[in-house]
């Protein structure tokens, strides 16, 4: 990725939070993207501020690298955050280590996650912990052609699941038992709710997951003019420097619609001509940018056409979702 990296200024974050709240456009603020949000020196203060001054739901996606100390665990539970998504996308230890501090030992990493789950369970906390792993699907196996050994280690996952079972006194099946069914191999997401406040999720690799690699080698990528995306309908993204984009999957921030710190008005950005053109294309299943075309495209012709077929099959379903949401909004 080539985008600039940095931390959002705390005072700017506070003002942005209030501005977003005043628009009545959204009810959920998610802290995360391509980076580790808990590394921000004011992360907990940001969460508390949102919970104290708005009625937003607040969630975070984290690699849990900061959960190795008891005070960090107690602080994040006490921050009133609504949901913590712990992303163990690659369960191969060598690959996990690539996104962790070099001083963090694997056992300490797992202990930190287990301590968070245990304390949250013992306190009866309202915080929802979502433990997210990857799984193999027919799509990743036959369309993407990615070998599961590259990103999956069944034994590593089973070791974590077994220890969680001991903590919550609930017999969790093995990874293979959970994901071997036809429906699990066919569907992208498989979810287990062992106890209240804990969700164990298995996500299949998708076109978006491999978008970065495709972007690097765009000459061999078959760009897709059509696709199916709910960007700007269910979500939009604001990056640390104030750039507003269509979604967090815009990993190099190419789809900039405006800058909220320069324009000081999120509503004008979300209603400007560039944004409306983008939205019009997406709602008509057209991919309006190179980033979108890669995300919905593929590195092979087969993958591209599977995405197009998926658009046709899900289009009616998504229109139903949009219409229901619109009627609900009008009713309120």
């Amino acid at each position: 990725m080539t985008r600039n990296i940095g931390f959002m200024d705390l005072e700017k974050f506070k003002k942005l939070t209030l501005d977003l709240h005043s628009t009545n456009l959204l009810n959920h603020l998610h802290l995360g993207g391509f980076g580790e949000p808990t590394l921000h020196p004011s992360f907990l203060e940001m969460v508390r501020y949102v919970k104290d001054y708005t009625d937003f739901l607040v969630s975070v996606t984290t690699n849990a690298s900061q959960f190795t100390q008891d005070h960090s665990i107690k602080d994040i539970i006490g921050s009133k955050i609504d949901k913590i998504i712990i992303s163990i996308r690659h369960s191969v230890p060598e690959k996990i280590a690539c996104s962790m501090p070099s001083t963090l030992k694997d056992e300490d990493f797992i202990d930190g996650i287990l301590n968070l789950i245990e304390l949250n369970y013992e306190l009866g906390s309202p915080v929802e912990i979502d433990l997210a792993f990857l799984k193999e699907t027919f799509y990743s196996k036959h369309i993407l052609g990615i070998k599961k050994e590259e990103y999956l280690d069944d034994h590593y996952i089973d070791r974590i699941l077994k220890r969680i079972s001991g903590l919550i006194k609930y017999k969790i099946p093995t990874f293979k038992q959970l994901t071997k069914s036809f429906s699990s191999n066919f569907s992208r997401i498989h979810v287990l709710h062992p106890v209240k406040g804990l969700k164990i999720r298995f996500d299949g690799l998708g076109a978006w997951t491999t978008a970065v690699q495709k972007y690097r080698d765009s000459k061999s990528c078959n760009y897709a003019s059509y696709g199916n995306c709910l960007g700007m309908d269910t979500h939009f993204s604001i990056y640390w420097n104030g750039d507003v984009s269509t979604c967090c999957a815009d990993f190099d921030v190419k789809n900039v619609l405006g800058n909220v710190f320069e324009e000081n008005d999120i509503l004008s950005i979300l209603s400007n001509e560039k944004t409306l053109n983008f939205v019009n294309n997406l709602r008509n299943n057209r991919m309006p940018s190179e980033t979108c075309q890669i995300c919905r495209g593929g590195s092979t012709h087969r993958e591209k056409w599977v995405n197009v077929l998926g658009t046709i099959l899900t289009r009616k379903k998504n229109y139903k979702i949009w219409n229901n949401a619109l009627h609900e909004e009008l009713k309120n």
Side-chain angles (χ1 to χ4, degrees):
M1 291 175 276
T2 62
R3 72 179 191 181
N4 294 326
I5 60 174
F7 288 126
M8 184 179 286
D9 176 78
L10 177 60
E11 294 308 314
K12 286 183 177 180
F13 173 84
K14 290 180 178 180
K15 182 180 183 304
L16 175 60
T17 297
L18 297 179
D19 288 346
L20 288 170
H21 190 246
S22 68
T23 65
N24 291 317
L25 284 177
L26 62 158
N27 57 17
H28 185 175
L29 193 65
H30 181 75
L31 306 175
F34 288 93
E36 177 49 46
T38 60
L39 290 176
H40 196 296
S42 302
F43 170 72
L44 288 172
E45 188 175 349
M46 287 174 161
V47 174
R48 294 189 191 103
Y49 186 85
V50 178
K51 296 305 296 181
D52 287 344
Y53 292 97
T54 77
D55 56 1
F56 288 153
L57 291 171
V58 182
S59 60
V60 63
T61 296
T62 173
N63 63 13
S65 61
Q66 303 300 298
F67 295 167
T68 55
Q69 309 207 2
D70 287 342
H71 70 85
S72 298
I73 294 170
K74 291 175 183 176
D75 288 344
I76 197 168
I77 292 175
S79 69
K80 302 179 186 175
I81 197 167
D82 297 285
K83 187 174 185 178
I84 302 170
I85 302 170
I86 301 174
S87 178
I88 312 181
R89 299 304 186 185
H90 287 82
S91 50
V92 179
E94 293 78 13
K95 291 203 172 185
I96 292 176
C98 291
S99 61
M100 296 291 175
S102 58
T103 55
L104 181 61
K105 296 178 181 178
D106 185 60
E107 283 305 313
D108 292 336
F109 165 65
I110 296 176
D111 286 345
I113 295 172
L114 294 171
N115 289 340
L116 175 71
I117 293 172
E118 183 177 30
L119 182 61
N120 197 59
Y121 178 67
E122 288 178 350
L123 293 175
S125 165
V127 178
E128 180 181 319
I129 296 174
D130 189 339
L131 192 59
F133 298 97
L134 281 177
K135 64 169 182 171
E136 186 179 50
T137 61
F138 295 140
Y139 184 78
S140 64
K141 185 176 181 180
H142 300 295
I143 304 301
L144 295 178
I146 298 176
K147 297 178 181 178
K148 74 171 189 174
E149 292 79 16
E150 296 177 28
Y151 62 95
L152 272 181
D153 185 330
D154 298 21
H155 299 296
Y156 187 87
I157 296 175
D158 283 339
R159 188 154 58 95
I160 296 176
L161 295 180
K162 186 175 181 180
R163 292 185 64 183
I164 293 174
S165 291
L167 290 178
I168 62 177
K169 306 297 187 292
Y170 179 97
K171 178 64 175 176
I172 300 175
T174 65
F175 173 79
K176 188 173 182 180
Q177 290 170 332
L178 286 167
T179 61
K180 71 177 180 180
S181 68
F182 179 85
S183 61
S184 178
N185 277 270
F186 187 76
S187 61
R188 195 179 70 81
I189 300 176
H190 183 102
V191 180
L192 178 71
H193 290 273
V195 291
K196 184 179 179 181
L198 177 62
K199 181 191 293 183
I200 299 174
R201 197 175 88 211
F202 302 94
D203 295 348
L205 284 168
W208 174 82
T209 316
T210 57
V212 177
Q213 288 93 315
K214 296 171 191 172
Y215 190 80
R216 289 194 187 117
D217 188 21
S218 58
K219 289 181 180 178
S220 65
C221 176
N222 293 294
Y223 294 88
S225 298
Y226 294 87
N228 187 261
C229 177
L230 296 178
M232 300 302 295
D233 187 47
T234 60
H235 59 274
F236 62 91
S237 289
I238 302 176
Y239 290 85
W240 70 273
N241 62 352
D243 283 341
V244 179
S245 176
T246 49
C247 69
C248 65
D250 182 14
F251 47 84
D252 260 342
V253 200
K254 298 292 186 183
N255 304 333
V256 179
L257 305 171
N259 187 287
V260 72
F261 296 149
E262 294 173 3
E263 300 176 45
N264 292 314
D265 186 358
I266 186 65
L267 282 177
S268 67
I269 295 173
L270 295 178
S271 58
N272 66 29
E273 185 178 356
K274 185 175 182 179
T275 301
L276 294 178
N277 286 336
F278 218 102
V279 170
N280 183 58
N281 277 299
L282 289 177
R283 296 296 79 81
N284 286 287
N285 298 108
R286 292 181 176 87
M287 299 293 98
S289 76
E290 184 182 70
T291 310
C292 299
Q293 290 166 5
I294 294 173
C295 186
R296 299 308 307 161
S299 55
T300 66
H301 286 291
R302 179 170 55 176
E303 184 186 353
K304 175 183 176 179
W305 286 111
V306 165
N307 278 326
V308 173
L309 179 62
T311 295
I312 296 169
L313 294 175
T314 60
R315 186 168 183 171
K316 184 178 289 187
K317 176 184 175 183
N318 283 330
Y319 276 132
K320 186 176 181 181
I321 292 172
W322 299 333
N323 285 328
N324 287 344
L326 178 60
H327 289 311
E328 192 65 32
E329 186 65 30
L330 292 173
K331 200 164 58 174
N332 293 334

